[in-house]
Amino acid sequence: LVGAFAAGFGISPWILAILSSVAFALGHGAQGPIGVVVTGTLGFLLAALFVLTGSLVVVIVAHYLVNALEFIGHEITGPQKN
């Protein structure tokens, strides 16, 4: 969304990064307030990475690394008990 709207409509990519991050965060409302903050922050960082590099491949690799680190962290710590 950031690249298409910035190029097609001349909207600042930074404004679009903020707006898309807010939408991404709100879409994760089921994860609770902490999940909203974490996903919103990650969404903005990935959007900023796209704005700075202009490469979707860089963003995809960064997202993969975040997911891989999260998976490894869960494997190391084991199941969480409530």
Side-chain angles (χ1 to χ4, degrees):
L1 289 175
V2 174
F5 282 101
F9 296 100
I11 302 171
S12 165
W14 292 106
I15 297 295
L16 293 168
I18 292 168
L19 293 175
S20 67
S21 300
V22 169
F24 185 67
L26 293 175
H28 287 81
Q31 295 178 352
I34 293 174
V36 169
V37 170
V38 169
T39 56
T41 302
L42 179 60
F44 179 76
L45 292 174
L46 292 174
L49 189 59
F50 176 78
V51 171
L52 294 171
T53 66
S55 172
L56 189 57
V57 173
V58 171
V59 176
I60 291 169
V61 170
H63 192 292
Y64 170 81
L65 291 173
V66 168
N67 287 352
L69 290 172
E70 182 182 16
F71 177 77
I72 291 167
H74 284 286
E75 289 298 311
I76 290 171
T77 60
Q80 301 296 317
K81 296 180 182 172
N82 294 330

